[in-house]
Amino acid sequence: MTPSFPRDRVSGKPGVVHYDLGRLRLNGLIERIPDSNTYALTADGQRVAIFYTKVHNRLLRPLLVGHQPPAPAELRAALRTIDQHVRSYIDHARLRKAA
């Protein structure tokens, strides 16, 4: 399965790719291989990639399906509690609803 990205990120526009690679390089996550147009992950880049993969697999994926009935009752209850606290905070802060 091919990952889906926002359209401007996969269009191959040189400016977008150049900007993204530059930001990753400046943050020490990738390094350019000399005399080529390729990049390699640094040790920090590998750690960040593994961390975000674990966050996605262990936290985000279960939360995204947590409101559906197959989810454990404890998870659905915890999500309801979080939702109530967020709504209470928004009401207390008097933030306007998004259009």
Side-chain angles (χ1 to χ4, degrees):
M1 183 173 157
T2 304
S4 61
F5 295 101
R7 189 72 183 134
D8 63 338
R9 293 292 183 211
V10 293
S11 65
K13 293 180 182 176
V16 173
V17 174
H18 179 73
Y19 175 81
D20 290 343
L21 289 173
R23 297 302 303 167
L24 291 169
R25 192 173 42 78
L26 287 173
N27 286 305
L29 301 178
I30 62 173
E31 59 188 6
R32 187 166 185 202
I33 298 173
D35 301 322
S36 73
N37 289 327
T38 57
Y39 291 81
L41 280 173
T42 62
D44 284 344
Q46 288 178 333
R47 282 191 286 276
V48 168
I50 291 169
F51 171 77
Y52 279 107
T53 300
K54 288 182 179 183
V55 166
H56 178 267
N57 291 340
R58 295 180 185 177
L59 181 66
L60 296 179
R61 187 181 296 165
L63 287 176
L64 291 173
V65 296
H67 66 283
Q68 298 174 354
E74 298 85 10
L75 176 59
R76 285 184 281 142
L79 290 174
R80 275 193 301 275
T81 302
I82 291 169
D83 188 52
Q84 289 170 352
H85 284 287
V86 169
R87 287 176 194 237
S88 172
Y89 179 79
I90 290 170
D91 291 342
H92 186 288
R94 298 179 189 193
L95 297 175
R96 289 182 278 145
K97 291 184 179 180

